[in-house]
Amino acid sequence: MDLILCHTTADFDALGAAVGLTRLLPGSKIVLTGGSHPPVRDFLALYRDEYPLIERRSVNSQKIRSLTVVDTQQRDRLGKAAEWLDLPNIREIIVYDHHLGQDSDISATRSHISSVGATTTLIVEQLQQQHISLTPAEATVMALGIHVDTGSLTFNQSTPRDAFALAWLMEQGASLSVISTYRDPGLSLQLQQLLTEALENLEYLCLHGYTLAWVTLKTDAFVPELSSLASELVELTEIDALLLVNEYSLGESDSRLTIIGRSQIPKTNLNRLFQLLGGGGHSQAASLNLRGVDSQAILKQLLDGVKAQIPHPLTARDLMSSPVRTILPETTIAEAQRILLRYGHSGLSVVDTQGQLVGIISRRDIDIALHHGFSHAPVKGYMTRNLKTITPDTTLPQIESVMVTYDIGRLPVLENEQLVGIVTRTDVLRELHQNSAVSGSGTLSQFRVLSPESQSLLTNQHLGLSGELQNKLAPPLWQLLTTASQEAEKRGWHLYLVGGAVRDLLLAEASGTLMIKDIDLVVDGFHKSADVGAGVELAKALQQLYPTARLEIHGAFQTAALLWHKDPKLDSLWVDIATARTEFYPYPAANPEVEASSIRQDLYRRDFTINALALRLTNPHAGELLDFFGGLLDLQAKQIRVLHANSFIEDPTRIYRGVRFAVRFGFEIEPQTEEFIRYAINSGVYDRTAQENSRTPALQTRLKTELKHILEAPYWKSALQLLDNLGALQCIHPTLKLDVEVLRQLRFLESCLRRFDPQPTLIHWEMRLEALIAHLAPQYRAKVAKNLQLPEDSIARLNNLAQVQTEVITALPTFQRPSQVVQLLRQYDLPMLILIAVQSSRYLTTNRHASTLRHQIWEYLTVWANMQPLLNGNDLKKLGYKPGPQYRQILDNVLAATLDGVIKDRTEAEEFLAQHYVK
């Protein structure tokens, strides 16, 4: 037995190095000699089965042949396992460590100690030298080891070797989402002490609703990584901008000054301020270094500059919704109530035939009229005529004051006596909430954004088309969006980039450009009487300019799509173009019914807040980012939040999308959203709907599409586990659960796919789905496969699986010779054999029998199925056997004899023929 020992309270570096060594030392086992760090413990709670870990107490010390110690050179770091170092049966002791200058008390036969940031780096280098590849699970834990021990390459002990090792691990499939979940670099001891001092001495100033803070820290020498301290201060305190000053000296007459600036205030530009003093950086993050200056004078100059940049409050023009849905005074109460219900409004503006505002009627007014039986009456008898109105230049504080003073929930915005918009309580509360959240305890630097400048993009809710957006998109894609916006402007329409593309732009890495493969555009032309065909018209216009694109029109959903396939510039791009619309579900899990509406209603019909963001592409407000539902805050909080309570009732595939986004981005499902999911599933609405309706697309084609997205992604295991935790696998079948046996089967399936289909000829996501369905009782399998509209061969395979399993399980134990196994198994295709092997333990009485069956199938696929007869037809002809049908039988018998070990070479094969066949 070869053991790899991690030190007590194992960290990720020890675990990662140990996992890598199991590939260098095949068959070796890992022993955690005494506990682990909490993040490691949490990690292993999910991933323990991916690694060859054994308990110390289960080790028979007399069978140990070698010990390899990682990340330490001291016996006392190995707990009770240190006793094994003195056993007489130990042939070899190897030490891997990256701590130089330590006195080792382990008598190692070999040592690998080098000055790198992480012990795992040493293992990676040996794996590379021996051309050993890793699984994603192995690469992930090893990458975690390097990330944690080097502070993601920011600690002083980090080396280029660590960086090269991390790059190789990424090539091997290390999961960035898992790494981001478990990595916690923290602050150095010196920075922690300075953090305490800074919190005690921080000074504040409030201006225009924003908080500006500053602090001066005096040290004996230069302090590296002050930017990390600044980020931590912004995260821990309720400030919107920070100036962190560090005074130190390199000699009696050599005074030095370092200033770090951070800002989350819209429209501030620290780069411009710091450049005036010889520094620089980005609009939201900048720094400078000076010597021999008056630190307080410099600080005052910068403070004055920041204060001058802080913007004034928003106005009604920034807040209002436009265009406004209006009705005429003669509209009946019943019709007004229907409009409110259909569009989710809480009130309607009433205008005369000239478009002049004459009143407002609220939901409360309508409810009272209905209560008294006046559904037939016109709204003019119940509307409010004594109106409070505002202009586009009315400021947010003034709007708030009017609403509170007069208890008004909606204020019409008039310009030249024309109704141009409306501001509601919701608009005001949303803006106040967003300002508070962004300038409060949260910090936009907590999640990945485009660059330091793009933190201002989030707080401003604005992306400049001529600036950051253009810089982040691949040039051909940028040109396409520009062309589309120009075509929309010609027709007097607004055009928006919506949904996932906006989300991905905000979450994108700091460097490089994006070539997004799937883009959604929405035309909002309600104010210009754009009909339901506006999206289609725009798509046709673009297709004239891009003739290589294929145009598809979906009339039922008022959408069109432009598709490119392996285009030299746009690659395989899919652009959906729709008119802004609202939708209704006639029954749960149905396809929605849609009609033209405004961009706000269009965004409201979407699934989650992080996908309900829109970026305006057309002038005059090109670059404006629309966030009606707090999507930016949810991106900041790393959470998935649904837009409305009935969302999952209407469309169960949103549950699967929510899980997919959560696992993909490393986000959490917001608690109330989780409650909505569990309620929808436990309500039984999906079962009732399936029984009452012949077509339930959300439980059929759309569910299959979501399963495809999940099961072909690298994070599919985590997604399935989350779906099971939510009870959402019931959408596939009420009895499906991800129990221990299913997880074991899925792990074995992956081993089979890696071994037998390394250059995928099978569709791996479909095989994973088949394995899940195969876990159901036999009578349900084909029905579920048909419901999900799987291919015919999959349906047939699942339908016949029980019968084939019975045949194979009954026959194989009776066979004594490999040739018998081959004769039976070669009549089945690879997917069927894999499913039989995966399912074996469910249908055999003992694990030993299951293991034997799996071994026979494995042996067949890896060895026996690839063996050829030692002779061929030409050989038979040369030996004097008359050509004919008997050749097939002769060669089959030669192959059988070869498989069974009766013959081993050509000579024995010829003797075999002579004994059994007459020429």
Side-chain angles (χ1 to χ4, degrees), residues 277-322:
L277 296 170
H282 304 285
S283 61
Q284 302 294 285
S287 64
L288 63 85
N289 294 284
L290 300 171
R291 58 191 302 177
V293 296
D294 183 342
S295 63
Q296 295 310 300
I298 296 296
L299 176 59
K300 183 179 183 304
Q301 181 178 342
L302 290 174
L303 283 172
D304 290 341
V306 173
K307 287 188 285 186
Q309 288 185 346
I310 293 177
H312 287 273
L314 295 174
T315 64
R317 193 183 304 277
D318 304 309
L319 299 172
M320 68 185 188
S321 300
S322 179

Side-chain angles (χ1 to χ4, degrees), residues 807-840:
E807 294 172 359
V808 172
I809 290 171
T810 302
L812 280 184
T814 67
F815 293 160
Q816 303 298 318
R817 301 188 305 277
S819 60
Q820 294 174 297
V821 177
V822 171
Q823 186 175 6
L824 173 66
L825 297 185
R826 67 184 176 186
Q827 60 185 308
Y828 307 118
D829 61 11
L830 175 60
M832 178 65 85
L833 292 176
I834 290 176
L835 284 184
I836 293 171
V838 165
Q839 286 280 305
S840 59

Side-chain angles (χ1 to χ4, degrees), residues 101-152:
Q102 293 192 357
D103 295 326
S104 176
D105 56 1
I106 297 176
S107 299
T109 54
R110 279 192 290 140
S111 295
H112 301 270
I113 303 173
S114 184
S115 179
V116 290
T119 303
T120 304
T121 297
L122 304 178
I123 313 301
V124 169
E125 291 173 343
Q126 292 195 13
L127 290 168
Q128 290 177 290
Q129 291 169 7
Q130 297 185 32
H131 304 289
I132 297 174
S133 60
L134 302 176
T135 67
E138 292 165 342
T140 298
V141 73
M142 295 182 72
L144 268 169
I146 299 176
H147 269 288
V148 171
D149 254 37
T150 66
S152 295

Side-chain angles (χ1 to χ4, degrees), residues 266-287:
K267 300 181 182 179
T268 55
N269 190 323
L270 296 181
N271 179 50
R272 188 180 305 138
L273 291 177
F274 278 56
Q275 278 184 339
L276 297 175
L277 296 170
H282 304 285
S283 61
Q284 302 294 285
S287 64

Side-chain angles (χ1 to χ4, degrees), residues 128-388:
Q128 290 177 290
Q129 291 169 7
Q130 297 185 32
H131 304 289
I132 297 174
S133 60
L134 302 176
T135 67
E138 292 165 342
T140 298
V141 73
M142 295 182 72
L144 268 169
I146 299 176
H147 269 288
V148 171
D149 254 37
T150 66
S152 295
L153 304 178
T154 63
F155 293 169
N156 289 338
Q157 69 267 25
S158 304
T159 69
R161 293 167 64 184
D162 301 300
F164 287 126
L166 271 179
W168 184 76
L169 290 171
M170 290 180 65
E171 291 176 349
Q172 296 294 304
S175 170
L176 296 181
S177 63
V178 174
I179 292 169
S180 67
T181 299
Y182 292 97
R183 178 186 57 82
D184 183 12
L187 295 176
S188 67
L189 179 60
Q190 182 185 22
L191 289 178
Q192 291 178 39
Q193 294 169 343
L194 289 174
L195 176 62
T196 301
E197 181 182 343
L199 289 172
E200 292 174 352
N201 296 285
L202 208 60
E203 296 184 70
Y204 300 89
L205 170 70
C206 291
L207 183 64
H208 299 323
Y210 297 104
T211 302
L212 171 62
W214 63 94
V215 67
T216 300
L217 300 174
K218 296 184 178 181
T219 59
D220 295 330
F222 171 74
V223 179
E225 303 301 330
L226 268 180
S227 60
S228 298
L229 177 58
S231 298
E232 192 75 9
L233 275 171
V234 173
E235 180 178 348
L236 292 175
T237 58
E238 296 185 354
I239 57 177
D240 304 297
L242 170 71
L243 293 176
L244 174 62
V245 181
N246 176 218
E247 289 186 55
Y248 62 96
S249 62
L250 298 180
E252 292 184 1
S253 59
D254 189 8
S255 62
R256 301 291 182 98
L257 185 68
T258 295
I259 301 180
I260 305 291
R262 292 287 186 271
S263 175
Q264 299 178 90
I265 302 175
K267 300 181 182 179
T268 55
N269 190 323
L270 296 181
N271 179 50
R272 188 180 305 138
L273 291 177
F274 278 56
Q275 278 184 339
L276 297 175
L277 296 170
H282 304 285
S283 61
Q284 302 294 285
S287 64
L288 63 85
N289 294 284
L290 300 171
R291 58 191 302 177
V293 296
D294 183 342
S295 63
Q296 295 310 300
I298 296 296
L299 176 59
K300 183 179 183 304
Q301 181 178 342
L302 290 174
L303 283 172
D304 290 341
V306 173
K307 287 188 285 186
Q309 288 185 346
I310 293 177
H312 287 273
L314 295 174
T315 64
R317 193 183 304 277
D318 304 309
L319 299 172
M320 68 185 188
S321 300
S322 179
V324 183
R325 189 171 295 279
T326 61
I327 57 175
L328 294 171
E330 291 73 26
T331 305
T332 66
I333 291 292
E335 177 64 12
Q337 195 267 346
R338 188 192 68 80
I339 294 172
L340 285 181
L341 179 63
R342 188 170 184 86
Y343 297 103
H345 294 341
S346 59
L348 292 168
S349 298
V350 185
V351 298
D352 60 20
T353 54
Q354 284 75 43
Q356 298 291 308
L357 180 69
V358 295
I360 284 182
I361 188 164
S362 69
R363 183 184 298 275
R364 182 169 52 186
D365 299 329
I366 291 174
D367 288 342
I368 292 173
L370 290 172
H371 175 73
H372 292 293
F374 289 96
S375 60
H376 61 284
V379 297
K380 63 184 179 182
Y382 291 86
M383 68 185 186
T384 300
R385 300 174 183 269
N386 185 19
L387 301 177
K388 297 292 181 184

